[in-house]
Amino acid sequence: MSTTEVTKTYLLHDSSFEAERAAPWLEGASLTLTPFAEREQIAADSRVLLWLGDEQIRDLAELALERQWLIGLLPHPEARQACTALGVKGDPAQLVEHYQSADAIGADALTCNGELVFSSVVIGSVLSLRPYDINRPQTVWSLLRGALKGLGQLSLGSYKLTTAKEQVINLGALGMVAVAHTQSSLVGKRFDENLSIADGRVSLLAIAPRSVLAYLWFLLRLVLPGRISLSRLPGSLALVQSERLHLEAHNGFEYLLDGKPVHAPELELSVQPERLRLLPGPALQPREEANASNRETLRLNHVPVDDAAQAM
């Protein structure tokens, strides 16, 4: 939608917002200040700038999707993951000016058990793969230091995956990472253009190295220059792409949702294609997008499945 089609812009904020301190960048911006408690008063198709933390943005997602708001984020101190996902970097005055001329883009809404995912869902013993932070990028050392913790206790877990087309996969994996889109996670940033912000599918990477050396080599591949091609994945990596994935494990799941620890008996990952109408931040560099597809990808490589998974 063109910016000229929306005449009113709201600034939806929480209780930490101080209008007096914000006066220098509010002046001349023609923003309607709206407390979070009054969010229901914002009409459909409005342009809405958010001064909210990650959890409140997640709580707002259903209403924003229902009313098809054009959403732009301001750098709230507790919105680190959301701001990273949308390339929001800079001071509020610069961002307000940027959003006044920014055109909305359509993006998939990835949910995990009904919660909106900004960056990634990290499952199992790959918890060192925390979401990428635009302001605090991981270094080679910090990544390897996290990976080396508890290295001797690593073992493959057993998972059952069911796709939207009822394909069932029983596999053994050290862990898995579901990527929301390529701008927002360390894993997503390391892979080629086939991971898209709007292709209508969940992208799930399963990691199943056969040795400690293979595990460390995979981690190095994430931080070394150059991208990993999804058509030529390392043997210890599997890729599953579908509109929806249902995951089961014997003892349930301990996972990180955008870095937040969560436990659940089962996982449901699903995509609502291009439902999010976003005002991209100045640091967002979307790649050329593919059309939404209901095609499923099962690229299992040397990851153990079925009887081999049970044996391991």
Side-chain angles (χ1 to χ4, degrees):
M1 174 179 290
S2 170
T3 57
T4 60
E5 295 177 26
V6 179
T7 58
K8 197 169 184 178
T9 301
Y10 294 84
L11 197 165
L12 185 61
H13 62 83
D14 64 10
S15 59
S16 72
F17 182 76
E18 299 178 18
E20 290 185 3
R21 293 185 61 182
W25 53 269
L26 288 175
E27 185 177 357
S30 299
L31 300 176
T32 301
L33 302 185
T34 307
F36 187 74
E38 299 175 14
R39 58 194 179 277
E40 293 280 355
Q41 298 180 13
I42 300 176
D45 297 316
S46 295
R47 182 174 292 245
V48 185
L49 305 187
L50 304 183
W51 180 265
L52 301 172
D54 284 334
E55 292 309 308
Q56 280 188 306
I57 294 172
R58 244 189 277 277
D59 291 342
L60 187 70
E62 184 175 350
L63 182 62
L65 288 168
E66 176 188 325
R67 298 194 178 179
Q68 285 291 280
W69 291 341
L70 280 70
I71 296 293
L73 302 186
L74 296 172
H76 190 289
E78 295 179 6
R80 188 173 296 278
Q81 296 302 327
C83 286
T84 297
L86 291 187
V88 176
K89 194 173 185 180
D91 62 56
Q94 293 172 326
L95 287 166
V96 169
E97 183 178 358
H98 167 77
Y99 290 138
Q100 287 176 342
S101 59
D103 287 328
I105 60 173
D108 295 342
L110 172 63
T111 61
C112 176
N113 288 353
E115 288 195 82
L116 185 66
V117 179
F118 300 127
S119 172
S120 60
V121 179
V122 181
I123 303 160
S125 301
V126 286
L127 300 187
S128 61
L129 301 181
R130 292 179 179 272
Y132 178 79
D133 188 324
I134 198 170
N135 296 304
R136 299 178 184 175
Q138 284 182 300
T139 64
V140 175
W141 172 241
S142 67
L143 180 69
L144 292 178
R145 182 174 55 192
L148 289 170
K149 290 181 180 179
L151 191 63
Q153 286 75 47
L154 293 179
S155 62
L156 301 188
S158 179
Y159 300 96
K160 178 182 178 181
L161 277 65
T162 305
T163 72
K165 295 185 176 181
E166 301 300 327
Q167 296 190 76
V168 178
I169 310 156
N170 294 288
L171 58 80
L174 189 64
M176 294 177 282
V177 183
V179 182
H181 71 78
T182 55
Q183 180 74 12
S184 58
S185 69
L186 173 67
V187 171
K189 290 171 73 70
R190 301 313 301 161
F191 288 86
D192 65 16
E193 67 281 355
N194 292 310
L195 284 175
S196 170
I197 191 174
D199 73 350
R201 298 181 297 173
V202 182
S203 293
L204 182 72
L205 293 156
I207 304 163
R210 301 300 181 101
S211 67
V212 170
L213 285 177
Y215 173 58
L216 295 177
W217 173 242
F218 164 73
L219 293 174
L220 282 172
R221 287 289 304 274
L222 292 181
V223 293
L224 289 173
R227 295 189 180 274
I228 301 172
S229 171
L230 292 182
S231 60
R232 294 188 300 276
L233 287 173
S236 59
L237 206 60
L239 172 68
V240 180
Q241 292 177 307
S242 179
E243 296 175 14
R244 185 182 69 256
L245 289 172
H246 184 80
L247 285 76
E248 300 173 47
H250 180 66
N251 294 317
F253 294 88
E254 297 286 348
Y255 62 97
L256 294 177
L257 173 62
D258 296 327
K260 177 182 71 173
V262 186
H263 176 81
E266 298 181 347
L267 281 187
E268 181 83 14
L269 297 163
S270 63
V271 163
Q272 299 179 52
E274 297 193 62
R275 283 291 311 282
L276 289 173
R277 298 173 68 200
L278 305 175
L279 297 172
L284 184 66
Q285 298 177 347
R287 301 171 187 175
E288 184 177 347
E289 303 300 346
N291 294 327
S293 169
N294 62 1
R295 179 176 56 86
E296 293 190 340
T297 298
L298 301 177
R299 196 165 292 142
L300 301 177
N301 293 335
H302 300 304
V303 171
V305 296
D306 299 327
D307 292 342
Q310 294 180 10
M312 294 191 68

